[in-house]
Each structure stands twice: as structure tokens, then as C-alpha cells.
Amino acid sequence: MRIDSEYTLLEKLGSGSFGVVYKAIHEETGRTVAIKQIDLDSADEDLDHIRQEIQVLAQCCNSPFVTRYYGATVRGFRLWIVMEYMNGGSCLDLLRAGSFTEEQIGCVVYQLLQGLVYLHSESKIHRDIKCKYWMAPEVIQRAQYNEKADIWSLGITAIEMAQGLPPYANLHPMKALFQIPKNPPPELDDVAKPRFTDAFHDFLRCCLVKDAHQLLTHSFLRTHSRQGDLVRTMVLRYQAMRGNSPPHGQSKDTPDRQPPVAGDADTSHTEDDFQWDFDLGTLSTRTALNVTTESLKRTLLAEIPASVSPMAVPSPLRVSPAGWASIDYSESLPASTAKAIDAMRKRWLHQCGQTAGP
Ligand SMILES: Nc1ncnc2c1ncn2[C@@H]1O[C@H](COP(=O)(O)OP(=O)(O)OP(=O)(O)O)[C@@H](O)[C@H]1O
């Protein structure tokens, strides 16, 4: 796929610390992609992180459990990171429709773990550098850390899926940073605790000490690992919720599919766009440079330190469950799944104070 060719931007998918993500069509191939647009003008302090994210993404394209990276290009004053479109959204998105059951957590965690096993086998550590509540104590303390830091984050993510929020979510992030290394590993809160089996509690405890390979054989995952339909029902639950409320980052009256707004997303791109006043060599100081997309890519990749560390395939939640990119959720479902979806829909409508229809 040629990254410097044309894209048609569709709706906004969401936004994160570094930029806004759009759904888009790559005109040459007709492929649907996701494009993260980073405003280079305001990203000064984060440029190192962005560079690291691109480096890691560029090297990690060989697992169905990790979001595929297609390339990066500069359009005007924005850096575009083109990647696989995950039509189920992120786990964080799915959580907006309510916390997960133990079965659902097992199914998602199993796939997240497969992504981590792949990354670790490539000597890469995910280590989300910016999300404080999920950070392992050794990362917070800037001590030596290894891939176990990711397993800690996975455990925190599992707690978040069970309770809807990570531990210490009621604290200011800086306060949480002090508490995490000081306190014993967190557990489920008293409300969530009784809803889960001993196997799950044990799994959480293990996440704080064990490596990813050992965890794949944990009895908790053996029970839940093969229930792919569950992911689908969670996506449907989230999509049902989106039917009534706008996706993260969009106002209620914004249509789902909207043409890009001038100044918001750049859709017009000419060769001139690639001649922004920007030093692509260091991504930190600005000197006038005429660059092509290829040279951007080469420079970005060459500039990134060889010793990879902080990985930012976005959050621990973004190691994508297998097949999300290709599953068409509108296809007809087995009766048992349809029943489960209906139950979730009713639960959600109930939570919103509405009555479920027929
Ligand atoms: N490849 C993708 N396919 C589909 N949706 C995506 C994709 N990447 C991101 N999104 C959507 O865009 C949102 C923002 O993603 P982004 O990577 O910018 O931030 P984040 O990782 O969620 O947050 P942060 O950067 O603060 O950690 C996500 O929550 C998700 O809804």
C-alpha cells in the first residue's frame, strides 16, 4: 500500500493524548484504514514518544493480535499514522457499555496475552508510558523493568474490565503514581469481588508476578479462551449503545459518518503539503526542509533509538483481539448469541432508564 497516495477521510473514530483518529479509505486499494493525525505544531514535547510509537509499530506487523501499521506520512502540519482499521473499536470503547463478565474478560485477556507473547518474543515491551493507573511499580520508579511490566498492566486492565475503572481511579493520577509502588498489588473492590471465581482472583495475583507464556496455561484462561463469539457480542453491545449516544469525542448531533471538517481533518493534499517548515531529522527543532514522504519515513525510522523500550501500540487495551478487523458483525448470528445480545441490549436500556422494545 502506498502511503503517500490519496485517502478519503470518513468519520472521526476517537481521540487520544497524541491526536485524533479517523476512519478512511485508501483510494488505490479501496482498503479501509484508520489514520491517526498528530498536530506537529502542538506536539513538541511528545515527539520522542511519537517517534518511538512509529518505530515499534513499523517493526511489529506480524501478528493477528497486534494492530497492523501501514506507514506514516506528513500532510500539511500533521503527521498521519496509517494503520489497520479495527471495526470493533478498542476494549475501552466496549467498556463504555458496561463492565465485562468473567467469561468476557477471559476471552479478551486471552487474546491480549497472545499479542503480548508475540511482542515479547520480538523482544519488545509494550509498557504504556502515559497511562499512570496501569503502570507497573518498577516503571513508575524508573527502575530496571522487563516484559513483566506488561503483565502487570494486563492485570490492571483485567481489573478495569471487571469493575469498569482501574484501581486508584478515584485518585488524581499523580497521587496514584505514589500509591502504586508503595501499596501491595491491588485487588478487585468489595463490590466486584463476589462476582468472580477463585480462578480469576488467582489469575490477577499471578499477573503481578508471572510472565506471559506461563499465564497462557492458567486454568482461568483454559476455561474461557475459545469463546470468540463473546467478543462479537460485546462489540454489538457497544454498537447498540452508540446507536443512542455519540462515540467518544463526538457531539450528540454529529452524524456517525461525516465529511471531514475544514481545519479539523486534512483531506486536500498536494505535493506542497510535504514541504512544511519542519526538521524531520530530529523531530524536535525546526528548520526549513523540503522533504518527501519517503524521506520522512526513512528519517523517522533512522532516528529512533535502536534500544526499543516504551511501546505505544496505544494502551494495553489496544492489542487487538484477533479477527476484529475482518469480522462483519452484521452477519446472522446463532440463536444463543442473538439471545445473549438481546439480554445485553435490555440490560443497557435498563441502565439508561429506557424500556426495552419487543
Ligand atoms: N486502528 C484503529 N481502528 C479503529 N479505531 C481506532 C484505532 N485506533 C484508535 N481508534 C479509536 O480512536 C481512539 C483514540 O485512539 P488513540 O490511539 O489516539 O488514543 P488512545 O490510545 O485511546 O489514548 P491515549 O493516546 O491517551 O493512550 C481509540 O479510543 C479508538 O476508539
Side-chain angles (χ1 to χ4, degrees):
M1 190 159 104
R2 281 186 49 229
I3 291 307
D4 56 347
S5 51
E6 298 290 320
Y7 298 88
T8 302
L9 293 182
L10 304 174
E11 74 263 28
K12 178 174 161 180
L13 294 168
S15 45
S17 334
F18 292 149
V20 181
V21 181
Y22 290 90
K23 184 174 172 180
I25 303 285
H26 182 246
E27 292 301 337
E28 219 170 270
T29 57
R31 180 180 282 170
T32 305
V33 295
I35 297 180
K36 187 188 282 196
Q37 294 189 348
I38 296 164
D39 186 344
L40 293 168
D41 223 5
S42 55
D44 270 0
E45 289 166 14
D46 296 321
L47 287 172
D48 273 348
H49 294 165
I50 294 164
R51 197 162 53 216
Q52 281 161 349
E53 175 167 348
I54 292 177
Q55 181 200 28
V56 176
L57 284 171
Q59 293 171 349
C60 287
C61 282
N62 209 10
S63 165
F65 299 101
V66 180
T67 309
R68 196 169 286 263
Y69 161 86
Y70 297 129
T73 182
V74 171
R75 301 285 160 110
F77 54 90
R78 290 195 174 103
L79 174 66
W80 287 21
I81 299 177
V82 185
M83 59 192 150
E84 181 180 2
Y85 169 60
M86 313 303 290
N87 74 352
S90 69
C91 280
L92 193 55
D93 293 330
L94 301 184
L95 261 178
R96 294 194 172 103
S99 55
F100 297 175
T101 64
E102 180 162 325
E103 277 182 324
Q104 291 169 332
I105 296 171
C107 176
V108 172
V109 164
Y110 185 75
Q111 297 185 23
L112 290 173
L113 207 42
Q114 305 248 41
L116 288 179
V117 166
Y118 165 75
L119 292 177
H120 295 169
S121 73
E122 295 281 305
S123 306
K124 301 201 166 51
I125 304 174
H126 186 293
R127 199 199 79 156
D128 198 300
I129 42 181
K130 51 199 184 299
C131 302
K132 300 175 175 52
Y133 300 103
W134 292 265
M135 271 173 145
E138 62 271 26
V139 178
I140 293 173
Q141 291 170 314
R142 296 175 185 271
Q144 263 212 326
Y145 63 88
N146 56 24
E147 60 280 353
K148 282 182 187 159
D150 287 339
I151 302 304
W152 173 284
S153 299
L154 181 77
I156 302 297
T157 300
I159 292 180
E160 183 189 15
M161 288 190 258
Q163 325 181 137
L165 288 169
Y168 303 114
N170 58 333
L171 298 185
H172 184 278
M174 292 316 287
K175 202 153 187 207
L177 277 186
F178 279 108
Q179 299 290 328
I180 294 166
K182 221 172 67 182
N183 293 346
E187 296 176 349
L188 288 181
D189 64 29
D190 291 341
V191 179
K193 213 175 253 174
R195 287 203 291 123
F196 292 89
T197 63
D198 287 347
F200 182 67
H201 291 295
D202 186 57
F203 179 79
L204 288 181
R205 275 192 292 275
C206 292
C207 280
L208 307 174
V209 290
K210 292 198 175 174
D211 73 39
H213 260 300
Q214 286 171 293
L215 279 176
L216 275 175
T217 58
H218 191 279
S219 60
F220 168 65
L221 293 182
R222 270 209 307 275
T223 325
H224 301 303
S225 57
R226 311 271 171 234
Q227 295 163 326
D229 257 6
L230 281 175
V231 173
R232 184 182 303 201
T233 57
M234 287 149 64
V235 171
L236 285 167
R237 178 177 74 156
Y238 171 62
Q239 287 176 344
M241 188 201 79
R242 283 185 54 177
N244 278 29
S245 67
H248 188 51
Q250 276 184 234
S251 71
K252 177 100 184 154
D253 43 20
T254 311
D256 216 24
R257 247 172 197 256
Q258 52 177 353
V261 181
D264 193 5
D266 262 348
T267 47
S268 56
H269 25 85
T270 64
E271 218 21 64
D272 289 343
D273 286 335
F274 300 103
Q275 298 178 4
W276 190 56
D277 191 7
F278 177 68
D279 182 346
L280 295 154
T282 61
L283 282 177
S284 60
T285 52
R286 296 189 182 167
T287 52
L289 258 188
N290 283 348
V291 287
T292 63
T293 319
E294 262 316 301
S295 78
L296 162 72
K297 219 164 97 184
R298 271 200 308 276
T299 322
L300 274 173
L301 298 183
E303 273 297 314
I304 295 160
S307 55
V308 186
S309 44
M311 155 92 177
V313 172
S315 70
L317 296 169
R318 183 63 44 62
V319 180
S320 53
W324 282 27
S326 56
I327 295 172
D328 175 8
Y329 293 102
S330 61
E331 72 196 28
S332 60
L333 300 164
S336 57
T337 311
K339 248 184 171 170
I341 294 161
D342 198 41
M344 279 192 204
R345 186 177 67 91
K346 284 188 178 141
R347 181 177 143 205
W348 180 78
L349 286 172
H350 178 72
Q351 277 169 3
C352 296
Q354 297 173 33
T355 322

